[in-house]
Amino acid sequence: MTEIIDALREEHHNLEKLLAVLERELELFDHNQRPDYEILQSIIQYFEDYPQSCHHPKEEMIFEKLRARDPRGAAAYGDIDAEHAIEAKRLRKFGDAVNAVLSDQELLRETFHLAVQDFIKNQRDHLKKEEALLFPAAAKALTAEDWAEIDARMANRKDPLFEGASDEKFRSLEQNILRWEQEAEDARTAAR
């Protein structure tokens, strides 16, 4: 049981790393510098690929079991399917803004900023809500058999960015994350 929730929390931690990368790129944009649009596209592609097709289905299986075992706990959370659908729409809006810039379409700077910022903020809110409501309720209500069934149904697909060798399409994103993590560590060490 806790292994599944621990794995989902680790995936949330990894998603947070990507949101931090987006913040850095948005900060460049906001200071009239050119963000790395290849990185932005890689993040969009990653969110379309792994969370949509693997991470969210795991959470949705847990939610279905929770709804059967503890309808009140599930109701306190809300509707995970609807939230995931809304997050997919926000991702498309963010992707559309990046594509508009790259294809030299007329787009207000504020429109681009808001699309990226909205995606970042709402992703963080969604992750926090799952960790505060869904995971504890599921840990309390689900049985060992429920967890075994979820585990058996979960895809064994590896995360294309954070588990082992990343796909070629995510290589530059991975390198930037590693570089920025090292820079942050160096800054912390220098501050001591």
Side-chain angles (χ1 to χ4, degrees):
M1 140 186 81
T2 58
E3 296 86 20
I4 294 172
I5 290 177
D6 288 346
L8 289 169
R9 283 191 172 122
E10 181 63 26
E11 290 175 5
H12 282 187
H13 177 72
N14 292 337
L15 294 174
E16 178 56 43
K17 287 180 184 180
L18 296 177
L19 296 175
V21 171
L22 286 178
E23 282 181 324
R24 283 178 171 243
E25 295 300 320
L26 184 59
E27 188 174 319
L28 290 172
F29 178 83
D30 288 345
H31 289 93
N32 292 319
Q33 297 176 26
R34 183 177 170 82
D36 188 331
Y37 289 104
E38 182 180 316
I39 294 294
L40 296 179
Q41 289 177 313
S42 293
I43 291 173
I44 292 164
Q45 192 172 21
Y46 176 83
F47 270 91
E48 289 172 340
D49 182 43
Y50 189 74
Q52 299 273 12
S53 67
C54 195
H55 179 80
H56 290 168
K58 294 175 196 176
E59 293 169 336
E60 291 162 4
M61 282 188 273
I62 291 170
F63 185 78
E64 287 305 312
K65 291 288 184 184
L66 178 62
R67 191 181 347 230
R69 296 279 179 205
D70 180 10
R72 195 174 308 190
Y77 179 86
D79 184 349
I80 198 165
D81 294 325
E83 283 190 18
H84 287 164
I86 290 168
E87 291 309 312
K89 286 181 185 175
R90 283 191 178 100
L91 179 62
R92 280 192 299 279
K93 186 175 179 180
F94 166 33
D96 290 346
V98 169
N99 289 335
V101 169
L102 292 175
S103 63
D104 292 327
Q105 294 177 22
E106 204 165 301
L107 181 74
L108 294 175
R109 291 185 66 78
E110 181 181 8
T111 302
F112 181 85
H113 173 90
L114 290 174
V116 179
Q117 180 133 22
D118 184 58
F119 178 76
I120 294 168
K121 180 197 177 306
N122 285 289
Q123 274 295 310
R124 283 194 172 127
D125 291 347
H126 176 71
L127 298 175
K128 287 176 187 171
K129 182 178 178 184
E130 288 175 340
E131 294 199 13
L133 297 175
L134 176 62
F135 297 168
K140 183 177 175 184
L142 274 59
T143 67
E145 293 80 24
D146 293 333
W147 290 110
E149 184 181 329
I150 291 167
D151 192 41
R153 290 176 49 202
M154 285 173 52
N156 289 329
R157 184 170 167 225
K158 293 210 179 286
D159 186 316
L161 179 58
F162 292 103
E163 290 182 20
S166 62
D167 287 354
E168 187 61 37
K169 62 187 171 189
F170 299 123
R171 184 89 53 223
S172 63
L173 178 57
E174 176 188 39
Q175 290 169 349
N176 273 321
I177 291 170
L178 292 173
R179 180 174 48 84
W180 288 334
E181 286 178 337
Q182 185 60 52
E183 288 172 3
E185 181 59 32
D186 292 346
R188 283 190 293 274
T189 301
R192 289 184 195 153

mmCIF file of all heavy atoms in Angstrom, residues 58-95:
data_model
loop_
_atom_site.group_PDB
_atom_site.id
_atom_site.type_symbol
_atom_site.label_atom_id
_atom_site.label_comp_id
_atom_site.label_asym_id
_atom_site.label_seq_id
_atom_site.Cartn_x
_atom_site.Cartn_y
_atom_site.Cartn_z
ATOM 1 N N LYS A 58 -3.164 5.760 -12.451
ATOM 2 C CA LYS A 58 -2.899 5.151 -11.134
ATOM 3 C C LYS A 58 -3.754 5.831 -10.069
ATOM 4 O O LYS A 58 -4.382 5.170 -9.239
ATOM 5 C CB LYS A 58 -1.422 5.295 -10.760
ATOM 6 C CG LYS A 58 -0.461 4.527 -11.621
ATOM 7 C CD LYS A 58 0.972 4.875 -11.189
ATOM 8 C CE LYS A 58 1.994 4.459 -12.222
ATOM 9 N NZ LYS A 58 3.355 4.882 -11.845
ATOM 10 N N GLU A 59 -3.745 7.165 -10.083
ATOM 11 C CA GLU A 59 -4.523 7.907 -9.094
ATOM 12 C C GLU A 59 -6.017 7.643 -9.264
ATOM 13 O O GLU A 59 -6.746 7.533 -8.269
ATOM 14 C CB GLU A 59 -4.235 9.404 -9.224
ATOM 15 C CG GLU A 59 -2.817 9.766 -8.852
ATOM 16 C CD GLU A 59 -2.438 11.181 -9.210
ATOM 17 O OE1 GLU A 59 -3.055 11.773 -10.137
ATOM 18 O OE2 GLU A 59 -1.521 11.704 -8.574
ATOM 19 N N GLU A 60 -6.448 7.520 -10.493
ATOM 20 C CA GLU A 60 -7.866 7.272 -10.749
ATOM 21 C C GLU A 60 -8.281 5.882 -10.251
ATOM 22 O O GLU A 60 -9.404 5.716 -9.749
ATOM 23 C CB GLU A 60 -8.167 7.472 -12.233
ATOM 24 C CG GLU A 60 -8.059 8.947 -12.622
ATOM 25 C CD GLU A 60 -7.907 9.217 -14.106
ATOM 26 O OE1 GLU A 60 -7.952 8.263 -14.911
ATOM 27 O OE2 GLU A 60 -7.711 10.400 -14.459
ATOM 28 N N MET A 61 -7.399 4.893 -10.354
ATOM 29 C CA MET A 61 -7.699 3.568 -9.795
ATOM 30 C C MET A 61 -7.839 3.658 -8.277
ATOM 31 O O MET A 61 -8.762 3.065 -7.699
ATOM 32 C CB MET A 61 -6.589 2.567 -10.143
ATOM 33 C CG MET A 61 -6.641 2.035 -11.549
ATOM 34 S SD MET A 61 -5.437 0.704 -11.786
ATOM 35 C CE MET A 61 -3.981 1.644 -12.219
ATOM 36 N N ILE A 62 -6.951 4.386 -7.652
ATOM 37 C CA ILE A 62 -7.016 4.559 -6.200
ATOM 38 C C ILE A 62 -8.320 5.251 -5.824
ATOM 39 O O ILE A 62 -9.008 4.843 -4.877
ATOM 40 C CB ILE A 62 -5.790 5.344 -5.685
ATOM 41 C CG1 ILE A 62 -4.527 4.488 -5.827
ATOM 42 C CG2 ILE A 62 -5.991 5.812 -4.245
ATOM 43 C CD1 ILE A 62 -3.229 5.242 -5.571
ATOM 44 N N PHE A 63 -8.678 6.285 -6.572
ATOM 45 C CA PHE A 63 -9.895 7.029 -6.278
ATOM 46 C C PHE A 63 -11.129 6.138 -6.406
ATOM 47 O O PHE A 63 -12.044 6.220 -5.579
ATOM 48 C CB PHE A 63 -10.010 8.251 -7.199
ATOM 49 C CG PHE A 63 -11.178 9.129 -6.856
ATOM 50 C CD1 PHE A 63 -11.105 9.998 -5.777
ATOM 51 C CD2 PHE A 63 -12.339 9.090 -7.600
ATOM 52 C CE1 PHE A 63 -12.183 10.801 -5.444
ATOM 53 C CE2 PHE A 63 -13.416 9.896 -7.280
ATOM 54 C CZ PHE A 63 -13.337 10.761 -6.197
ATOM 55 N N GLU A 64 -11.168 5.297 -7.438
ATOM 56 C CA GLU A 64 -12.313 4.388 -7.608
ATOM 57 C C GLU A 64 -12.451 3.441 -6.423
ATOM 58 O O GLU A 64 -13.551 3.193 -5.937
ATOM 59 C CB GLU A 64 -12.193 3.604 -8.912
ATOM 60 C CG GLU A 64 -12.471 4.441 -10.151
ATOM 61 C CD GLU A 64 -13.817 5.147 -10.111
ATOM 62 O OE1 GLU A 64 -14.850 4.507 -9.786
ATOM 63 O OE2 GLU A 64 -13.837 6.372 -10.382
ATOM 64 N N LYS A 65 -11.334 2.922 -5.955
ATOM 65 C CA LYS A 65 -11.360 2.050 -4.779
ATOM 66 C C LYS A 65 -11.811 2.843 -3.547
ATOM 67 O O LYS A 65 -12.578 2.346 -2.728
ATOM 68 C CB LYS A 65 -9.985 1.427 -4.520
ATOM 69 C CG LYS A 65 -9.562 0.410 -5.552
ATOM 70 C CD LYS A 65 -10.382 -0.847 -5.396
ATOM 71 C CE LYS A 65 -9.905 -1.912 -6.357
ATOM 72 N NZ LYS A 65 -10.751 -3.103 -6.278
ATOM 73 N N LEU A 66 -11.327 4.075 -3.422
ATOM 74 C CA LEU A 66 -11.714 4.921 -2.307
ATOM 75 C C LEU A 66 -13.216 5.187 -2.343
ATOM 76 O O LEU A 66 -13.884 5.121 -1.301
ATOM 77 C CB LEU A 66 -10.935 6.240 -2.328
ATOM 78 C CG LEU A 66 -11.280 7.238 -1.226
ATOM 79 C CD1 LEU A 66 -10.966 6.658 0.153
ATOM 80 C CD2 LEU A 66 -10.535 8.551 -1.440
ATOM 81 N N ARG A 67 -13.740 5.469 -3.516
ATOM 82 C CA ARG A 67 -15.175 5.739 -3.646
ATOM 83 C C ARG A 67 -16.003 4.531 -3.171
ATOM 84 O O ARG A 67 -17.035 4.682 -2.543
ATOM 85 C CB ARG A 67 -15.523 6.096 -5.085
ATOM 86 C CG ARG A 67 -16.923 6.631 -5.217
ATOM 87 C CD ARG A 67 -17.378 6.986 -6.612
ATOM 88 N NE ARG A 67 -16.385 7.071 -7.633
ATOM 89 C CZ ARG A 67 -16.238 8.090 -8.465
ATOM 90 N NH1 ARG A 67 -17.026 9.128 -8.371
ATOM 91 N NH2 ARG A 67 -15.326 8.065 -9.409
ATOM 92 N N ALA A 68 -15.508 3.324 -3.450
ATOM 93 C CA ALA A 68 -16.218 2.113 -3.027
ATOM 94 C C ALA A 68 -16.079 1.880 -1.518
ATOM 95 O O ALA A 68 -17.034 1.442 -0.873
ATOM 96 C CB ALA A 68 -15.680 0.902 -3.789
ATOM 97 N N ARG A 69 -14.903 2.155 -0.961
ATOM 98 C CA ARG A 69 -14.634 1.875 0.460
ATOM 99 C C ARG A 69 -15.059 3.006 1.392
ATOM 100 O O ARG A 69 -15.456 2.770 2.520
ATOM 101 C CB ARG A 69 -13.143 1.616 0.682
ATOM 102 C CG ARG A 69 -12.618 0.403 -0.008
ATOM 103 C CD ARG A 69 -12.940 -0.822 0.775
ATOM 104 N NE ARG A 69 -12.417 -1.986 0.051
ATOM 105 C CZ ARG A 69 -12.900 -3.183 0.185
ATOM 106 N NH1 ARG A 69 -13.886 -3.409 1.019
ATOM 107 N NH2 ARG A 69 -12.384 -4.170 -0.505
ATOM 108 N N ASP A 70 -14.908 4.245 0.926
ATOM 109 C CA ASP A 70 -15.188 5.409 1.769
ATOM 110 C C ASP A 70 -15.787 6.518 0.908
ATOM 111 O O ASP A 70 -15.090 7.477 0.537
ATOM 112 C CB ASP A 70 -13.892 5.885 2.452
ATOM 113 C CG ASP A 70 -14.100 7.092 3.356
ATOM 114 O OD1 ASP A 70 -15.257 7.472 3.624
ATOM 115 O OD2 ASP A 70 -13.075 7.670 3.792
ATOM 116 N N PRO A 71 -17.079 6.407 0.591
ATOM 117 C CA PRO A 71 -17.708 7.415 -0.268
ATOM 118 C C PRO A 71 -17.580 8.846 0.282
ATOM 119 O O PRO A 71 -17.409 9.787 -0.484
ATOM 120 C CB PRO A 71 -19.176 6.993 -0.325
ATOM 121 C CG PRO A 71 -19.171 5.542 0.023
ATOM 122 C CD PRO A 71 -18.016 5.342 0.959
ATOM 123 N N ARG A 72 -17.592 8.971 1.581
ATOM 124 C CA ARG A 72 -17.466 10.301 2.183
ATOM 125 C C ARG A 72 -16.063 10.865 1.948
ATOM 126 O O ARG A 72 -15.896 12.038 1.628
ATOM 127 C CB ARG A 72 -17.759 10.228 3.681
ATOM 128 C CG ARG A 72 -17.992 11.588 4.289
ATOM 129 C CD ARG A 72 -18.417 11.500 5.709
ATOM 130 N NE ARG A 72 -19.560 10.589 5.808
ATOM 131 C CZ ARG A 72 -20.296 10.418 6.871
ATOM 132 N NH1 ARG A 72 -20.016 11.077 7.959
ATOM 133 N NH2 ARG A 72 -21.310 9.581 6.881
ATOM 134 N N GLY A 73 -15.045 10.022 2.091
ATOM 135 C CA GLY A 73 -13.670 10.460 1.828
ATOM 136 C C GLY A 73 -13.481 10.837 0.365
ATOM 137 O O GLY A 73 -12.811 11.823 0.046
ATOM 138 N N ALA A 74 -14.104 10.062 -0.521
ATOM 139 C CA ALA A 74 -14.022 10.378 -1.949
ATOM 140 C C ALA A 74 -14.753 11.679 -2.254
ATOM 141 O O ALA A 74 -14.261 12.512 -3.020
ATOM 142 C CB ALA A 74 -14.591 9.234 -2.779
ATOM 143 N N ALA A 75 -15.907 11.866 -1.628
ATOM 144 C CA ALA A 75 -16.680 13.097 -1.853
ATOM 145 C C ALA A 75 -15.920 14.310 -1.324
ATOM 146 O O ALA A 75 -15.976 15.391 -1.930
ATOM 147 C CB ALA A 75 -18.047 12.991 -1.188
ATOM 148 N N ALA A 76 -15.190 14.139 -0.225
ATOM 149 C CA ALA A 76 -14.397 15.252 0.308
ATOM 150 C C ALA A 76 -13.327 15.674 -0.680
ATOM 151 O O ALA A 76 -12.970 16.850 -0.751
ATOM 152 C CB ALA A 76 -13.760 14.856 1.644
ATOM 153 N N TYR A 77 -12.817 14.710 -1.443
ATOM 154 C CA TYR A 77 -11.813 15.045 -2.460
ATOM 155 C C TYR A 77 -12.467 15.757 -3.630
ATOM 156 O O TYR A 77 -11.974 16.750 -4.128
ATOM 157 C CB TYR A 77 -11.060 13.800 -2.954
ATOM 158 C CG TYR A 77 -10.056 14.179 -4.013
ATOM 159 C CD1 TYR A 77 -8.787 14.588 -3.644
ATOM 160 C CD2 TYR A 77 -10.401 14.223 -5.361
ATOM 161 C CE1 TYR A 77 -7.874 15.013 -4.597
ATOM 162 C CE2 TYR A 77 -9.505 14.640 -6.310
ATOM 163 C CZ TYR A 77 -8.248 15.037 -5.932
ATOM 164 O OH TYR A 77 -7.362 15.471 -6.875
ATOM 165 N N GLY A 78 -13.560 15.216 -4.129
ATOM 166 C CA GLY A 78 -14.225 15.784 -5.302
ATOM 167 C C GLY A 78 -14.226 14.792 -6.444
ATOM 168 O O GLY A 78 -14.462 13.607 -6.238
ATOM 169 N N ASP A 79 -13.930 15.263 -7.637
ATOM 170 C CA ASP A 79 -13.979 14.432 -8.837
ATOM 171 C C ASP A 79 -12.611 14.462 -9.514
ATOM 172 O O ASP A 79 -12.276 15.408 -10.226
ATOM 173 C CB ASP A 79 -15.058 14.953 -9.782
ATOM 174 C CG ASP A 79 -15.251 14.082 -11.012
ATOM 175 O OD1 ASP A 79 -14.426 13.175 -11.262
ATOM 176 O OD2 ASP A 79 -16.236 14.316 -11.733
ATOM 177 N N ILE A 80 -11.850 13.417 -9.294
ATOM 178 C CA ILE A 80 -10.479 13.378 -9.819
ATOM 179 C C ILE A 80 -10.457 13.340 -11.346
ATOM 180 O O ILE A 80 -9.594 13.945 -11.971
ATOM 181 C CB ILE A 80 -9.673 12.214 -9.207
ATOM 182 C CG1 ILE A 80 -8.173 12.453 -9.412
ATOM 183 C CG2 ILE A 80 -10.122 10.871 -9.760
ATOM 184 C CD1 ILE A 80 -7.292 11.575 -8.558
ATOM 185 N N ASP A 81 -11.425 12.644 -11.945
ATOM 186 C CA ASP A 81 -11.473 12.585 -13.409
ATOM 187 C C ASP A 81 -11.677 13.980 -14.002
ATOM 188 O O ASP A 81 -11.010 14.357 -14.969
ATOM 189 C CB ASP A 81 -12.591 11.652 -13.884
ATOM 190 C CG ASP A 81 -12.333 10.201 -13.515
ATOM 191 O OD1 ASP A 81 -11.159 9.781 -13.531
ATOM 192 O OD2 ASP A 81 -13.311 9.483 -13.216
ATOM 193 N N ALA A 82 -12.582 14.744 -13.405
ATOM 194 C CA ALA A 82 -12.835 16.104 -13.889
ATOM 195 C C ALA A 82 -11.606 16.983 -13.696
ATOM 196 O O ALA A 82 -11.258 17.773 -14.580
ATOM 197 C CB ALA A 82 -14.034 16.701 -13.163
ATOM 198 N N GLU A 83 -10.927 16.836 -12.552
ATOM 199 C CA GLU A 83 -9.713 17.624 -12.321
ATOM 200 C C GLU A 83 -8.638 17.291 -13.344
ATOM 201 O O GLU A 83 -7.970 18.191 -13.861
ATOM 202 C CB GLU A 83 -9.177 17.386 -10.905
ATOM 203 C CG GLU A 83 -9.959 18.124 -9.858
ATOM 204 C CD GLU A 83 -9.285 18.076 -8.504
ATOM 205 O OE1 GLU A 83 -8.083 17.785 -8.418
ATOM 206 O OE2 GLU A 83 -9.987 18.356 -7.530
ATOM 207 N N HIS A 84 -8.454 16.016 -13.617
ATOM 208 C CA HIS A 84 -7.442 15.631 -14.604
ATOM 209 C C HIS A 84 -7.805 16.156 -15.994
ATOM 210 O O HIS A 84 -6.918 16.569 -16.749
ATOM 211 C CB HIS A 84 -7.248 14.114 -14.608
ATOM 212 C CG HIS A 84 -6.503 13.616 -13.407
ATOM 213 N ND1 HIS A 84 -6.492 12.292 -13.040
ATOM 214 C CD2 HIS A 84 -5.729 14.254 -12.497
ATOM 215 C CE1 HIS A 84 -5.753 12.139 -11.942
ATOM 216 N NE2 HIS A 84 -5.290 13.322 -11.595
ATOM 217 N N ALA A 85 -9.091 16.178 -16.314
ATOM 218 C CA ALA A 85 -9.529 16.721 -17.611
ATOM 219 C C ALA A 85 -9.251 18.224 -17.685
ATOM 220 O O ALA A 85 -8.809 18.732 -18.722
ATOM 221 C CB ALA A 85 -11.009 16.430 -17.835
ATOM 222 N N ILE A 86 -9.500 18.933 -16.592
ATOM 223 C CA ILE A 86 -9.234 20.375 -16.555
ATOM 224 C C ILE A 86 -7.738 20.641 -16.686
ATOM 225 O O ILE A 86 -7.319 21.557 -17.406
ATOM 226 C CB ILE A 86 -9.808 21.007 -15.268
ATOM 227 C CG1 ILE A 86 -11.336 20.999 -15.331
ATOM 228 C CG2 ILE A 86 -9.265 22.412 -15.045
ATOM 229 C CD1 ILE A 86 -12.015 21.335 -14.009
ATOM 230 N N GLU A 87 -6.924 19.826 -16.014
ATOM 231 C CA GLU A 87 -5.469 19.989 -16.121
ATOM 232 C C GLU A 87 -5.003 19.735 -17.558
ATOM 233 O O GLU A 87 -4.092 20.411 -18.041
ATOM 234 C CB GLU A 87 -4.742 19.078 -15.133
ATOM 235 C CG GLU A 87 -4.932 19.470 -13.671
ATOM 236 C CD GLU A 87 -4.638 20.925 -13.383
ATOM 237 O OE1 GLU A 87 -3.592 21.440 -13.822
ATOM 238 O OE2 GLU A 87 -5.470 21.574 -12.716
ATOM 239 N N ALA A 88 -5.623 18.779 -18.243
ATOM 240 C CA ALA A 88 -5.276 18.518 -19.647
ATOM 241 C C ALA A 88 -5.619 19.734 -20.515
ATOM 242 O O ALA A 88 -4.851 20.082 -21.423
ATOM 243 C CB ALA A 88 -5.990 17.267 -20.146
ATOM 244 N N LYS A 89 -6.724 20.395 -20.234
ATOM 245 C CA LYS A 89 -7.098 21.609 -20.979
ATOM 246 C C LYS A 89 -6.104 22.729 -20.721
ATOM 247 O O LYS A 89 -5.714 23.453 -21.642
ATOM 248 C CB LYS A 89 -8.509 22.064 -20.596
ATOM 249 C CG LYS A 89 -9.599 21.203 -21.171
ATOM 250 C CD LYS A 89 -10.966 21.714 -20.768
ATOM 251 C CE LYS A 89 -12.038 20.753 -21.259
ATOM 252 N NZ LYS A 89 -13.369 21.146 -20.795
ATOM 253 N N ARG A 90 -5.670 22.870 -19.470
ATOM 254 C CA ARG A 90 -4.669 23.901 -19.150
ATOM 255 C C ARG A 90 -3.357 23.614 -19.876
ATOM 256 O O ARG A 90 -2.691 24.528 -20.345
ATOM 257 C CB ARG A 90 -4.424 23.954 -17.642
ATOM 258 C CG ARG A 90 -5.501 24.647 -16.893
ATOM 259 C CD ARG A 90 -5.092 24.916 -15.441
ATOM 260 N NE ARG A 90 -6.162 25.623 -14.785
ATOM 261 C CZ ARG A 90 -7.071 25.053 -13.984
ATOM 262 N NH1 ARG A 90 -7.007 23.767 -13.727
ATOM 263 N NH2 ARG A 90 -8.022 25.774 -13.444
ATOM 264 N N LEU A 91 -2.994 22.349 -19.953
ATOM 265 C CA LEU A 91 -1.782 21.963 -20.665
ATOM 266 C C LEU A 91 -1.898 22.313 -22.147
ATOM 267 O O LEU A 91 -0.959 22.843 -22.742
ATOM 268 C CB LEU A 91 -1.506 20.470 -20.481
ATOM 269 C CG LEU A 91 -0.274 19.915 -21.198
ATOM 270 C CD1 LEU A 91 1.004 20.578 -20.696
ATOM 271 C CD2 LEU A 91 -0.208 18.403 -21.016
ATOM 272 N N ARG A 92 -3.062 22.038 -22.739
ATOM 273 C CA ARG A 92 -3.265 22.389 -24.152
ATOM 274 C C ARG A 92 -3.182 23.895 -24.362
ATOM 275 O O ARG A 92 -2.599 24.365 -25.344
ATOM 276 C CB ARG A 92 -4.597 21.847 -24.659
ATOM 277 C CG ARG A 92 -4.562 20.375 -25.027
ATOM 278 C CD ARG A 92 -5.785 19.921 -25.795
ATOM 279 N NE ARG A 92 -7.028 20.075 -25.057
ATOM 280 C CZ ARG A 92 -7.478 19.228 -24.132
ATOM 281 N NH1 ARG A 92 -6.772 18.171 -23.803
ATOM 282 N NH2 ARG A 92 -8.623 19.448 -23.532
ATOM 283 N N LYS A 93 -3.734 24.662 -23.446
ATOM 284 C CA LYS A 93 -3.689 26.129 -23.550
ATOM 285 C C LYS A 93 -2.240 26.616 -23.475
ATOM 286 O O LYS A 93 -1.828 27.484 -24.241
ATOM 287 C CB LYS A 93 -4.531 26.748 -22.434
ATOM 288 C CG LYS A 93 -4.680 28.234 -22.531
ATOM 289 C CD LYS A 93 -5.634 28.736 -21.458
ATOM 290 C CE LYS A 93 -5.769 30.238 -21.536
ATOM 291 N NZ LYS A 93 -6.675 30.761 -20.517
ATOM 292 N N PHE A 94 -1.471 26.048 -22.576
ATOM 293 C CA PHE A 94 -0.051 26.361 -22.455
ATOM 294 C C PHE A 94 0.666 25.978 -23.749
ATOM 295 O O PHE A 94 1.431 26.765 -24.314
ATOM 296 C CB PHE A 94 0.494 25.622 -21.224
ATOM 297 C CG PHE A 94 1.991 25.550 -21.095
ATOM 298 C CD1 PHE A 94 2.825 26.559 -21.530
ATOM 299 C CD2 PHE A 94 2.565 24.449 -20.485
ATOM 300 C CE1 PHE A 94 4.204 26.475 -21.364
ATOM 301 C CE2 PHE A 94 3.934 24.348 -20.317
ATOM 302 C CZ PHE A 94 4.753 25.366 -20.763
ATOM 303 N N GLY A 95 0.402 24.787 -24.256
ATOM 304 C CA GLY A 95 1.011 24.335 -25.510
ATOM 305 C C GLY A 95 0.636 25.225 -26.678
ATOM 306 O O GLY A 95 1.484 25.543 -27.521
#
